[in-house]
Amino acid sequence: MSTPSAVAARRVFLGDRFTPATVRVSGGVIAAVDVFDEAADIVLPDSEVLLPGLVDSHVHLDEPGRTEWEGFSTGTAAAAAGGVTTIVDMPLNSIPVTTTAEALAAKRAAAAGKLAVDVGYWGGAVPENLGLLAELDAAGVVGFKCFLSPSGIPEFGFLDTAQLEAALAETAALGSILIVHAEDPAHLHADGPVGRDYAAFLASRPPASERAAVRTVIDAARRTRGRAHIVHVSDAGVLDDVRAAKAQGVALTIETCPHYLTLTAEEVPAGAAQFKCCPPIRDAANRDALWRGVADGTIDAIVSDHSPSTAELKSSPDFGLAWGGISGVQTALPALWTEAHRRGVPIERLLPLVTVGPARIAGLGGRGRIAAGEPAHLVAFDPDQTRTVRARELEYRNKLSPWDGRMLRGVVASTWVNGVPAYRRGEGILARAGREILGEPATLAG
Ligand code: ZN
């Protein structure tokens, strides 16, 4: 399939609504958005809408070092198949973790030639590199990630309150952002076996842990005036504090994930470790409250937190012993759209949260929009077709999914990355036209 110079559709998502249009592409970039042109190289069938490629600012690719967990090749293929054309890789669980410029160089070397979609990198802020973040910033990370509780791997330590404040002051001085895994260890039960019953695992990571940690981040952001972002909010009980902080002008954004918005604790089968993540999937009432946070704009982005491990590490039926992390980059769009549709939330309301929302958090400018001058990242999506997820058919290295066997609404028909056909339903991955995204160092920041 050759690189198109124009893609036309009766329904093209332009910012906030669908309009008949033609997207003209030149040199991998959107050259113009014109009126609908029947003679365009590609005219989508009326059943399909044309979307901007999704942006997912929370993906763990785990390469180099834990490539048996995922990897640039499989992880970016899954993204392309899911309609995600830009991802930002987390600083763990690769070996080394991305906490030094040398580690970032190792990651970039490992990525070369494997990218099916565009990839940027988060750096890590850990006790050992506080005061040294400028070097990693200059090397091209888009921002910094830290934990307030144990990360799951000993080589990526967590920050105490004083260190959090120091890190935020440092990232603020760099014109960067600090994104925070917000669970307070004082409220978490000790690691260890809890059995096959999901309720016991849920009780071990109570809402109080998120509420306390989010307050800690809000206080630190207020004092330092640094830009802070809370990753993977699970407990809707934090939303009131977040609303209040935003209203007071604290530079705070938050994200949640498809698993928190589409799954519930009540339906997790005994011993089903593919549902385990931290913080945990909570009850149905909590899920409803998260959707209210989506509707009123308190939640700024929805991202996958695609965090695989080997099937072996997920094989324990004891929720305390299995690895915590959900694979979801490929199923995010249909999973979210299925639940949104069920709730009467129009797709026009959902799309900004999976496109421009995450792009803004990661400092990726106008990505996630179909507009002249942006990379030609396009997705043909059939919003009415349904399909049953089969985990074994996913592009992941380890084919585990909590959505396995579920009938989801919406099918990605084609994905274009930098103007190149990258994925087509039934044919799979067609090209690896993804590019690296390097953040601008502080001296060049606007
Ligand atoms: Zn994560």
Side-chain angles (χ1 to χ4, degrees):
M1 196 161 57
S2 63
T3 300
S5 62
V7 182
R10 299 279 178 192
R11 290 178 288 167
V12 179
F13 189 66
L14 297 179
D16 57 356
R17 71 200 123 90
F18 288 97
T19 302
T22 301
V23 180
R24 300 199 186 278
V25 176
S26 176
V29 173
I30 297 173
V33 181
D34 290 340
V35 294
F36 181 78
D37 177 0
E38 203 78 64
D41 311 318
I42 295 173
V43 179
L44 298 191
D46 286 352
S47 57
E48 294 176 10
V49 300
L50 189 65
L51 306 179
L54 271 58
V55 177
D56 190 337
S57 55
H58 194 149
V59 174
H60 297 259
L61 292 177
D62 304 331
E63 186 173 0
R66 285 196 179 89
T67 310
E68 70 275 20
W69 291 21
E70 188 60 280
F72 286 104
S73 183
T74 49
T76 63
V84 178
T85 56
T86 300
I87 62 179
V88 189
D89 175 57
M90 281 292 166
L92 69 170
N93 299 306
S94 52
I95 304 171
V97 291
T98 318
T99 54
T100 64
E102 296 74 43
L104 180 63
K107 214 171 229 310
R108 294 182 60 193
K114 297 176 187 163
L115 304 185
V117 301
D118 286 1
V119 175
Y121 307 100
W122 293 108
V126 293
E128 294 79 12
N129 72 356
L130 292 184
L132 304 170
L133 300 181
E135 186 196 352
L136 199 44
D137 181 72
V141 298
V142 303
F144 294 88
K145 159 100 178 268
C146 72
F147 280 71
L148 301 184
S149 57
S151 72
I153 55 169
E155 62 267 38
F156 198 100
F158 64 97
L159 306 184
D160 64 23
T161 303
Q163 289 168 327
L164 170 71
E165 216 167 299
L168 255 177
E170 194 175 354
T171 52
L174 293 168
S176 191
I177 185 170
L178 186 65
I179 70 172
V180 185
H181 178 122
E183 289 184 288
D184 186 326
H187 296 272
L188 300 176
H189 300 194
D191 284 343
V194 297
R196 294 166 49 87
D197 179 9
Y198 185 75
F201 169 65
L202 184 58
S204 76
R205 302 189 90 96
S209 66
E210 284 191 73
R211 292 175 199 181
V214 166
R215 283 191 193 123
T216 299
V217 175
I218 289 171
D219 288 348
R222 184 179 280 125
R223 278 196 292 270
T224 60
R225 297 175 184 273
R227 250 178 93 212
H229 172 74
I230 313 277
V231 296
H232 53 51
V233 166
S234 153
D235 168 41
V238 309
L239 296 178
D240 283 343
D241 283 339
V242 170
R243 275 186 203 102
K246 286 181 164 191
Q248 291 159 10
V250 176
L252 179 72
T253 49
I254 66 169
E255 71 189 31
T256 189
C257 307
H259 36 281
Y260 304 128
L261 288 167
T262 73
L263 305 173
T264 63
E266 292 90 331
E267 64 193 339
V268 177
Q274 69 270 27
F275 289 82
K276 179 183 175 182
C277 60
C278 300
I281 295 164
R282 303 189 190 276
D283 66 19
N286 179 72
R287 180 179 64 171
D288 292 344
L290 284 175
W291 276 98
R292 289 196 288 278
V294 167
D296 72 11
T298 307
I299 293 171
D300 299 278
I302 307 171
V303 296
S304 70
D305 190 12
H306 179 74
S307 187
S309 72
T310 58
E312 172 69 26
L313 286 171
K314 281 296 227 185
S315 66
S316 173
D318 186 312
F319 279 106
L321 301 179
W323 172 260
I326 281 179
S327 294
V329 69
Q330 190 171 340
T331 51
L333 178 58
L336 287 167
W337 171 225
T338 301
E339 185 67 18
H341 183 266
R342 188 175 81 78
R343 291 169 179 271
V345 176
I347 198 166
E348 293 92 330
R349 295 284 298 280
L350 179 64
L351 289 170
L353 286 148
V354 292
T355 53
V356 291
R360 281 189 201 115
I361 289 157
L364 300 178
R367 274 178 192 253
R369 294 185 308 146
I370 295 178
E374 295 301 327
H377 292 334
L378 301 169
V379 175
F381 182 68
D382 183 333
D384 299 315
Q385 198 180 331
T386 55
R387 190 171 149 240
T388 300
V389 176
R390 299 290 174 212
R392 64 176 182 274
E393 296 172 359
L394 298 170
E395 300 284 343
Y396 310 150
R397 183 170 306 269
N398 294 284
K399 301 186 187 302
L400 293 173
S401 168
W403 291 276
D404 184 36
R406 284 184 193 244
M407 173 89 84
L408 297 184
R409 172 177 290 268
V411 171
V412 173
S414 298
T415 304
W416 293 269
V417 172
N418 294 306
V420 176
Y423 167 82
R424 176 167 283 250
R425 172 114 186 93
E427 296 172 47
I429 300 302
L430 307 173
R432 294 196 176 263
R435 298 174 187 166
E436 272 191 324
I437 304 165
L438 294 180
E440 293 185 352
T443 47
L444 299 178

